[in-house]
Amino acid sequence: MKLLRAWRYLLLSIAALAALAALAACGGDDDEGGGTATPGGTATPAAGTRIEGGELTVATVEGDKLDPHQSSFATEISLERMLWRAAYTLDGKDVPQPAMAAALPVISADGLTYTIKLKSGLKWSDGNDLLAEDFVMGILHTCNPVIAGEYQYVLSNIVGCDAHFANEAGFDAALEAAIGVKEIDDLTYQITLANPQPTFTMILTMWPTFPVPVHLFPNSSDEWPAPGPAYPAALAYNGPYIATEYEPGDHATLAPNPNWKAEYSPLNAAPTLDKLTLRFIDDMAVADRAYEKGEVDFANVNLTELKALRSKFEPTGEYLRVLKPTTTGMEMNLERPPLDNLDVRLALVRADDHELENEVCQQGGQVPSTSWLPEVVKGGAAPDAFAAQIGHDPVKAREHLTKAGYKNADNPTGKDFPVLTILVRDTPSAKCSAEWHQEQYRKELGIETKIEIVDGPTRSARFKAEDFDLFPGGWQQDYPDPENWIIGLFDTGGGNNHYNCSDPDIDAKVKAAQFNTNETERIKLYSEINELIVTRVCGIGPFLHVADHYLIKPYVVGMGENSNGQDGVIAGDWIAETWGRSE
Amino acid sequence: MTGFVIRRILWTIPVLWAVATITFFLMHAVPGGPFDREKELPPAALANLEKRYNLDKPLYVQYGLYLTNLAQGDLGLSFKNGREVRDIITEGLAVTAQLGVIAFLYATIVGITLGVVAALYHNRLPDYLCVFFATIGTAMPNFIIATFLVIIFSVQLGWLGVLGWGGPRFDIFDPLTWTNNFDPSAWDFRKVVLPVIALGTLSAAYIARVTRASVLEVLNQDYIRTARAKGLAEYVVVLRHTIKNAMVPILTVLGPIFAFLVTGSFIVERVFAINGVGYRFVNAVFQRDYGMIMGTTLFFAAVVAAANLVVDILYAVVDPRIRYR
């Protein structure tokens, strides 16, 4: 009987513990209340005195590839810029400066030939000499069709690069030999362009031009290893860090490159950390919990928790907000009536209250705007620059709809407006944005729209096939020049112009700007194009400039101070040699 | 019995072929491909990528190539990072299997205990508490449980870890090296507890409900009344006559639950940033990583087939009335 009682007590105890665990789990409260965010406001983490040594663990998202000549995602490029550098690098103001090069390129009088002289004594991390042939191979590798680099297009203006890349039969020695890049001597190489390109020095800061260690990969078709445990030892590096460990899906560990010199950095910096760990975490909410627990020293803020996290960490100086060169807006398929009618497009744009949408769907985290080009981009405009033409104004919106002949509160006898579909990606903020617009159109214009929610690849495929009416989308800058925001996006037949913007005025100005070597004139042209895009709603009605939101421990130095938004994945990751600890 | 087992194993071959074929064609029928991006690729870049992964060939040729490689044990490459799918699965499996097996043990022990207690104390407080747990555990999604557990026990109390799995890691999974699994010093238990509870609670609740119903049914049988009338001790009645006879329905659910747990959980692996195979599979679907989708689907099909086979064999062990010819 005693045994029976003990056995029952044991069972009861386990049952009670299980029930308690369930109840404890119900006791939590994920409070998202907090302070109000102020667009444009920033806080800088307190920077103490830097110490030599120490470790940092940074939450980030893992990229796919780890060959810069194949890469296209910001997450990949973030890590690659820690491991390699091009001949040139952007400084904190996005101006190209010599990195591995000894000076800015010598450009021929016709603007077609760039001669680049490297610094002497450059070494790969494994001790081998870093030579001009390595930089030549970097370009040949990117132009090679077998490598299938996703950003090859930035090298399109190099003579022969497109011809080889588009060769259906794959690698061709003769086509490769015809590419306009050659080694002059061990420290000098030369690039020949098809057209003068004012932005080409900036292109030479980009990852498709990073050098290839020819002593490890002697042919342009040689594949770099896939990111995995064997990756770190199989490569040589010329960036501020070397990879020491790579566990896919979990983390990468970096250490300072012994052959890096501060003079290669635009900020004259060399790593002071002993160890830098990139912890791969896809879910920002998880990264934020790890930050709160102290398991990582840096994390991006999950936008749906922005207000709560901001109110918690802004007072301690751990919250940082950086405006990023990204604009989102409502893209409209101009080949689908009634969106071919400018008045209809203006009605839709003016019905939308961007300020309120930012508060409702973005936790006040972004910057409402009426300009496609952000102010930080040359030729860009202030967020309210076009408020008079496309800003929120329900009365004007209804006037435009009336002018287009459609029924609304001010024009009850007009014709019925067709039901348009908003094609949206399956994310909380995207769905919120779609619902917001649907409600705004209903409230201000009295028109109905449908929302179609799909996953990312489906949405991209539908966009490419031009199978959409309304499409909340946008653009993130690849390099800091207005041409990157306009060419291919708004010129007739442009590769990314799936909203079918076709405006002779825009086309003429793009043609005049693209290879214009007069910088003032070029920027003025892009500024005018920006105005045309916006006021004619030529494919997109801008509504927000995007900001990044970071959590950085107070003892971290060099991150917040050197973040300018171009980096975007981790604060200041394009100049990660400045990262360190103050304790 | 041996013949039955061999027949069942042979049957898995056409089953796996059917799974591979259906998955292959469904995958290609879904809109969007592995290289559809927010920022569209230039046509030449897209053409080169498609050539690189044989996507430029007709679908039937791709299918033929896939089956040929599969027959040689080659699951192909991930379209995203170019790694061998086999390597990715084995790495993820090493973690997922540890998590799944421990969660299975937790679910089984807690579930059966609660179910038996509830049945023995039918319509009394312990029964109500157990039913309450079972209801909560079934109704509450594991991402809610996981998030609450992290906030309470990791962030607020600081007792347990947030990121990763605390088991010993293998670069390349090898069943022969599982000895590490039994070395306590190789484990970080602060990173084990929460993922196991988050993953196993739903299963524990389900097992508790099935166990309770099954034990109640057996307790009402004549032979139990007879055992009690013969004056057997209650624990003998319960352990020897009740639980054993109540096990058949429980075993029926344990097989699928085991397969469910050891093949990973997208949610739990995501919430705890655990590098397991469940998360990779769902990610592969979102990214249209055809190589990974095919590899993981086949792997999951094989695990489910194996789990069902084991359950069928256990039926015969537990209930001698069941015979296979």
Side-chain angles (χ1 to χ4, degrees), chain A residues 372-422:
Chain A
W372 169 247
L373 282 180
E375 206 170 1
V376 290
V377 177
K378 284 183 277 189
D384 60 353
F386 304 105
Q389 293 97 326
I390 64 163
H392 176 57
D393 188 334
V395 175
K396 293 264 189 219
R398 284 192 291 274
E399 279 176 20
H400 284 297
L401 202 59
T402 301
K403 202 171 156 197
Y406 290 102
K407 189 193 291 181
N408 61 79
D410 298 344
N411 180 29
T413 57
K415 56 188 173 184
D416 287 333
F417 194 85
V419 176
L420 299 175
T421 300
I422 304 173

Side-chain angles (χ1 to χ4, degrees), chain A residues 22 56 63 67 74 115 143 150 178 195 260 305 376 394 412 484:
Chain A
L56 285 183
D67 173 348
T115 304
C143 297
E150 298 186 17
N195 294 291
W260 173 266
E305 297 178 82
V376 290
N484 183 245

